[in-house]
Amino acid sequence: MQRNLFEEDHELFREVAAEFNARSVAADYADWDAAHLMPRELWTAAGEQGLLGLAVPEEFGGAGMPDYRFRAVLDEEFARANHLAVGLAFHLHDDLVLPHLLAYGSEELKQYWLPAMVSGEKVTSVAWTEPGAGSDLRGIRTKAVRDGDDWLITGQKTFIGNGISGDAALVLARTDGGTGRGSRGSFSLFMVEKGEGYTTGRQLDKMGLKASDTAELFFDGVRVPARNLVGEAGRGLEYAAGQLPQGRLAIAVASSAVARTVYEATVAYTKDRNAFGERVIDFQNSRFALADILTEVEVTESYVDRAVLAFNEGRLGAADAARAKLWASERVKSITDRCLQLHGGYGYILEYPVAQAFLAARLLTIFGGTSEIMRDVIGREIAG
Ligand SMILES: Cc1cc2nc3c(=O)[nH]c(=O)nc-3n(C[C@H](O)[C@H](O)[C@H](O)COP(=O)(O)OP(=O)(O)OC[C@H]3O[C@@H](n4cnc5c(N)ncnc54)[C@H](O)[C@@H]3O)c2cc1C
């Protein structure tokens, strides 16, 4: 079925994104994967091409394109080129950190961060998860204590994407002085720059998406000026909840794009591969499997496209975004598995995109909120 999500401007932007993938990523991606790190020049190259901070207003150096379809195009191109780790790294910077600064940051904070994030001179990460608390953010223990005009932050974070390569993290910290599980008003968000007391722990060895670094972070009395508080103290969880729909929509978009890409690669592979004197696609089992997969790809695309339009119109609620993420991420997990099977042994070999997509897709039902948490959000809405 023909999609009608995109217009001419989006397709022009797609050409820029495709060229960026071909020119600035393709040749070195395997090396970055092996090194578990991307070079900083990649970020500045993306900034020069206008691929970062699309929603940032022109007065802060951005393109002033809040239309989420442009971000969707970018994700589709990273999927198509099998550069999923770059997509993940940019997602943290653009879909999670930026929206908080745009929505709640002071003028001073915006002036300082937005132009540098758009140009790629500053790379950011989101530091919410801790060793003892992921789904249940009220259980985090990192604390921020007021000290004159500053805050002192102490604690530990884990699973932080761009944690090694990044310059700063949007940190969720407890600010009410309490211990035990906090209340909704117990937490605040801070932009914390690397410096004294801020150390990066070990690089975590992920099963996929290796080119994007993921690390533990340690804060030992890190002094953070009061201007780096995002919005008001005590409203960190409320702000995070307000921006979650964009983060979850982004994962739905990426899931849908990966599903389509892997489906197309599998059709091509099964047409090319022969067994028992026939093309693999000529076995009824293969055709039936691909028929199911294509149907799921198209249903997912339609649903996610609708979510993108709802987001653009300010109508994507928390449960809507949870449904889009739940559906699309669970679909791509299953689709990459079935497509891998249709590749036979080659599907298990990492130089085949389906193997990398299978490993990447496994993350999508976990991060940004697990599928169980998505069901909880949706179920609560149903229960009223
Ligand atoms: C590669 C990777 C990158 C990541 N990047 C970042 C990042 O950049 N920044 C960041 O802050 N975090 C990041 N995360 C963390 C991620 O968001 C968490 O792992 C995720 O939210 C789950 O938290 P957890 O790992 O603590 O699991 P837990 O919360 O310990 O969950 C364990 C299991 O219990 C289930 N569960 C928990 N609560 C409930 C409930 N109420 N009902 C039913 N089941 C429940 C979960 O669904 C899961 O199956 C990343 C994680 C990974 C693996």
Side-chain angles (χ1 to χ4, degrees):
M1 235 188 309
Q2 184 76 28
R3 285 168 84 194
N4 59 2
L5 181 67
F6 299 115
E7 294 167 17
E8 199 183 334
D9 282 354
H10 305 110
E11 296 307 335
L12 290 172
F13 183 69
R14 187 184 298 284
E15 287 172 24
V16 177
E19 195 178 312
F20 173 77
N21 272 292
R23 264 211 209 148
S24 305
V25 186
D28 300 317
Y29 188 77
D31 292 342
W32 306 339
D33 212 50
H36 294 200
L37 202 62
M38 289 179 252
R40 285 297 298 263
E41 299 77 59
L42 180 75
W43 288 88
T44 41
E48 275 165 28
Q49 291 298 308
L51 302 181
L52 298 174
L54 304 181
V56 172
E58 287 175 15
E59 57 177 307
F60 298 112
M65 299 194 300
D67 175 354
Y68 200 77
R69 290 176 291 179
F70 290 104
R71 280 280 310 142
V73 164
L74 201 51
D75 271 337
E76 288 186 3
E77 290 308 307
F78 285 132
R80 223 167 259 179
N82 197 29
H83 298 150
L84 297 170
V86 182
L88 170 66
F90 286 13
H91 156 71
L92 298 166
H93 185 83
D94 256 35
D95 285 317
L96 294 171
V97 180
L98 263 175
H100 286 88
L101 295 180
L102 285 172
Y104 316 114
S106 64
E107 189 63 21
E108 192 181 4
L109 213 52
K110 288 181 185 165
Q111 291 286 0
Y112 183 80
W113 286 102
L114 298 184
M117 288 175 72
V118 168
S119 66
E121 282 155 48
K122 295 246 188 239
V123 173
T124 59
S125 52
V126 179
W128 295 356
T129 306
E130 299 190 355
S135 304
D136 180 15
L137 288 176
R138 289 191 191 185
I140 65 162
R141 295 166 69 174
T142 294
K143 62 179 182 188
V145 177
R146 195 76 201 230
D147 184 43
D149 283 344
D150 301 332
W151 292 84
L152 297 179
I153 300 191
T154 301
Q156 180 183 350
K157 298 288 178 181
T158 194
F159 300 140
I160 308 308
N162 303 336
I164 289 176
S165 56
D167 302 287
L170 179 65
V171 174
L172 184 70
R174 184 140 189 193
T175 42
D176 67 351
T179 53
R181 202 166 171 272
S183 65
R184 193 169 168 84
S186 302
F187 306 93
S188 306
L189 286 171
F190 298 88
M191 281 303 283
V192 182
E193 277 193 88
K194 278 187 176 159
E196 208 182 325
Y198 182 141
T199 45
T200 305
R202 67 200 169 94
Q203 160 84 274
L204 300 174
D205 191 9
K206 303 191 297 295
M207 59 194 268
L209 294 162
K210 288 180 187 268
S212 129
D213 60 280
T214 306
E216 294 174 313
L217 302 180
F218 299 91
F219 307 117
D220 182 9
V222 180
R223 187 166 287 280
V224 176
R227 65 171 179 275
N228 284 13
L229 172 70
V230 179
E232 293 172 25
R235 299 184 67 185
L237 275 190
E238 176 195 327
Y239 296 157
Q243 300 309 312
L244 276 176
Q246 177 168 345
R248 291 176 177 163
L249 173 67
I251 295 171
V253 166
S255 300
S256 177
V258 173
R260 163 68 73 183
T261 304
V262 166
Y263 159 75
E264 287 174 356
T266 307
V267 170
Y269 182 85
T270 51
K271 280 186 176 170
D272 196 46
R273 178 83 178 165
N274 292 301
F276 297 95
E278 285 184 77
R279 300 181 307 168
V280 169
I281 203 166
D282 292 326
F283 299 124
Q284 190 188 46
N285 175 68
S286 307
R287 290 202 307 270
F288 276 18
L290 287 166
D292 282 345
I293 292 167
L294 176 59
T295 307
E296 290 170 40
V297 164
E298 293 207 348
V299 168
T300 304
E301 261 172 13
S302 300
Y303 190 46
V304 173
D305 287 357
R306 221 175 89 190
V308 167
L309 294 176
F311 178 79
N312 273 353
E313 291 162 13
R315 291 188 292 105
L316 190 79
D320 298 318
R323 278 190 288 277
K325 181 188 186 283
L326 173 66
W327 175 261
S329 63
E330 289 290 345
R331 281 307 88 214
V332 72
K333 184 171 84 173
S334 162
I335 288 170
T336 50
D337 187 22
R338 285 174 280 158
C339 286
L340 189 154
Q341 185 72 19
L342 287 167
H343 278 70
Y346 293 98
Y348 201 67
I349 303 303
L350 279 173
E351 69 194 57
Y352 280 76
V354 71
Q356 292 178 35
F358 172 80
L359 294 172
R362 196 61 193 83
L363 175 65
L364 302 173
T365 60
I366 297 171
F367 103 126
T370 63
S371 286
E372 292 73 28
I373 295 299
M374 297 307 101
R375 292 187 184 103
D376 194 48
V377 171
I378 299 161
R380 279 170 197 269
E381 187 200 53
I382 296 167

